[in-house]
Amino acid sequence: MNNPLYVYNSISRDKDHFVPKEEGYVGMYVCGPTVYSDVHLGNCRTFVSFDIIYRYLLFLGYKVRYVRNITDVGHLTGDSEDGEDKIVVKAKQERLEPMEVVQKYMNGFHDMMDVFNVKRPSIEPRATGHILEQIEMVQDIIKNGYGYESNGSVYFDTVKFNEDKGSYGKLSGRVMDELLEETRVLKNQSEKRNASDFAIWMKAAPEHLMKWESPWSVGFPGWHLECSAMSTKYLGSNFDIHGGGNDLKFPHHENEIAQNEGACGCAPARYWLHTNMLLMNGRKMSKSEDNSITPEQLFTGSSKHVSKGYSPMVIRFFMLMAHYRSTMDITDDALQAAEKGYYKLMDAYYSLQELNTNNTDEGSLDQEVNALIDQAHADMNDDFNTPKALSRFFELTSMVNKLKGGQLKISDLGSATLDRLKKAFQSFIFDIFGLKDEAHHDDDHNHLDGAMRLIIDLRADARANKNWAVADKIRDTLSELEITLKDGKDGTDWSIH
Ligand code: AMP
Ligand code: ZN
């Protein structure tokens, strides 16, 4: 781990030198999806951003335990306490079991993460599988004087916590007095000591679908509690990185910090990383505001916002083109630029493989090439600056193209530098940026399809000439290769099974 890594820490509001608690190991928790609907592209941006962070930590040689939860209970509509459980609402609408809703959208989420080549986390805990841990945490919070029961529900006493620790609002910058003045009338406001208090356990109505026994009532945990309990369980009470979209800073993450400090007196995470929002038409992409586009709509081009379809890797490339802390507006022009950029980078990777040099000394191009590679590493060490790192690779790409085209002489590149350049392309494109080679995979398919068309024509000719031996031989040999021919009214098609 040569260069120091700096990460922007939302708690210190500064770029901090990243030093894990235990040398060589990183514990990272990222708030996962609430699985009540299909993921939209904004959600995907956040998970792709953390995927790049995860991949870069792995690239640096850390052993990373990456925990990303699944929220399958307690997240209420409107993100407020007077809402209804989002999963229960969906279960009623679709006449499904709540766990059927969870399974359905969790499967869809996993499929979509695979499509975007997002690495799977080390642990993916579910809130409903950790009710006991959450009840224990509520008990600890009550024992320490920061929680109180009221009519079967349990609330976190934000005022008492702030008096003792002086820190409620330290992550989000919200001010206690202003929070108290916020006059939103919530259903259970009368049960609370202070308007800013939040539920950590909620009593369920008799007809409520997902509920558990607890010392206070038959009920369910508050949304914020699950992340506090599950991060503590798998990463310890003080771990390295906690992440999520910046829309979760308040109240979700602020309340997580309060709960962890209230339960054990320790701040959960040392570095808080927040991704910025994907916008559409200048507004946050959001399902509830009907301002969202699904990944499928982008793949197929079936949305009024795009002129054509874009492949998953083009979209992943598009996401790399902005820093994770900047907002990003999805536009057709930006996607077209991403498409060009993605193919250009991939082509350069293949051109590079074919370059060889006999120069075993230093060449006149070495310094420039090495400097660009060093800069790309420095960009990643500077709070994972993917757009800058990409720009270095575009400079390298144009050098590769000139070397290939003869405008630059390959003998001006030393063999050690050429090797380093090949390795850098390999590790940045595939390991760090997490791109897959759709472009050349498609080329392979096109070649194979061309060859198959020829074979199908030859077989048709053989049959027309009643040359059954040749026709059968073609079919049987293809069958041994697990290629099936299907004769239809529009001709013959082929598939690999
Ligand atoms: P949810 O399923 O609503 O809990 O959201 C899952 C994750 O997606 C959270 O980390 C959110 O912060 C994030 N998210 C939601 N909308 C957007 C958006 N428009 N752009 C980027 N991230 C988002
Ligand atoms: Zn969370």
Side-chain angles (χ1 to χ4, degrees), residues 323-336:
H323 187 259
Y324 76 89
R325 280 190 295 115
S326 310
T327 53
M328 179 164 212
D329 217 330
I330 190 158
T331 64
D332 203 44
D333 285 351
L335 287 165
Q336 294 205 5

Side-chain angles (χ1 to χ4, degrees), residues 79-359:
D79 291 352
S80 80
E81 287 162 11
D82 54 358
E84 260 192 278
D85 192 304
K86 293 183 181 191
I87 286 158
V88 171
V89 171
K90 193 64 163 218
K92 286 184 193 154
Q93 275 170 5
E94 296 196 358
R95 293 172 163 262
L96 297 172
E97 278 291 320
M99 281 303 112
E100 231 173 337
V101 171
V102 166
Q103 193 71 49
K104 175 176 168 185
Y105 293 107
M106 191 171 66
N107 289 349
F109 169 69
H110 286 153
D111 289 348
M112 201 47 78
M113 291 299 101
D114 286 348
V115 166
F116 281 117
N117 205 25
V118 169
K119 274 183 178 292
R120 295 171 185 198
S122 330
I123 305 178
E124 195 173 48
R126 286 165 59 167
T128 52
H130 296 78
I131 301 293
L132 278 182
E133 288 84 349
Q134 295 179 76
I135 289 176
E136 279 168 20
M137 191 167 253
V138 174
Q139 285 171 321
D140 288 342
I141 293 171
I142 295 176
K143 202 167 67 208
N144 292 338
Y146 298 117
Y148 58 90
E149 193 214 318
S150 178
N151 191 27
S153 290
V154 181
Y155 294 96
F156 189 95
D157 191 334
T158 49
V159 169
K160 167 106 174 43
F161 178 77
N162 196 48
E163 276 166 12
D164 288 0
K165 312 254 181 187
S167 63
Y168 189 70
K170 77 172 168 190
L171 175 71
S172 58
R174 303 291 284 260
V175 179
M176 196 69 216
D177 289 345
E178 288 171 11
L179 285 171
L180 287 172
E181 270 171 32
E182 281 177 10
T183 50
R184 279 185 64 204
V185 184
L186 297 174
K187 192 170 70 184
N188 36 11
Q189 204 62 276
S190 60
E191 294 177 356
K192 295 185 188 180
R193 288 184 190 158
N194 317 291
S196 53
D197 292 354
F198 58 91
I200 47 183
W201 184 265
M202 296 174 103
K203 180 177 160 182
E207 70 280 7
H208 194 86
L209 284 176
M210 283 196 284
K211 50 187 191 282
W212 292 264
E213 287 282 354
S214 82
W216 315 284
S217 61
V218 173
F220 56 95
W223 169 39
H224 317 302
L225 192 67
E226 60 170 287
C227 289
S228 286
M230 295 190 289
S231 62
T232 305
K233 171 154 179 155
Y234 296 111
L235 297 171
S237 49
N238 178 248
F239 54 91
D240 296 308
I241 297 176
H242 194 311
N246 69 5
D247 56 336
L248 298 184
K249 265 191 200 168
F250 190 88
H252 187 55
H253 290 161
E254 195 71 64
N255 290 351
E256 264 191 59
I257 295 176
Q259 290 163 159
N260 283 86
E261 291 198 5
C264 81
C266 33
R270 301 162 62 240
Y271 303 90
W272 283 84
L273 271 53
H274 287 102
T275 54
N276 213 325
M277 296 292 108
L278 183 70
L279 311 179
M280 198 158 66
N281 305 320
R283 285 188 303 126
K284 175 188 165 187
M285 187 174 285
S286 155
K287 257 225 133 94
S288 47
E289 292 196 29
D290 199 22
N291 184 41
S292 67
I293 186 164
T294 64
E296 283 91 352
Q297 284 173 316
L298 260 196
F299 302 155
T300 57
S302 62
S303 156
K304 61 177 188 291
H305 301 287
V306 286
S307 60
K308 64 189 212 53
Y310 296 94
S311 77
M313 286 303 113
V314 167
I315 298 164
R316 187 170 170 118
F317 187 93
F318 162 75
M319 290 174 181
L320 289 163
M321 287 165 60
H323 187 259
Y324 76 89
R325 280 190 295 115
S326 310
T327 53
M328 179 164 212
D329 217 330
I330 190 158
T331 64
D332 203 44
D333 285 351
L335 287 165
Q336 294 205 5
E339 190 170 61
K340 278 203 195 103
Y342 167 70
Y343 287 121
K344 207 167 150 190
L345 189 66
M346 281 299 171
D347 287 346
Y349 169 78
Y350 282 97
S351 302
L352 185 58
Q353 305 312 308
E354 281 157 27
L355 295 181
N356 288 300
T357 178
N358 294 323
N359 180 359

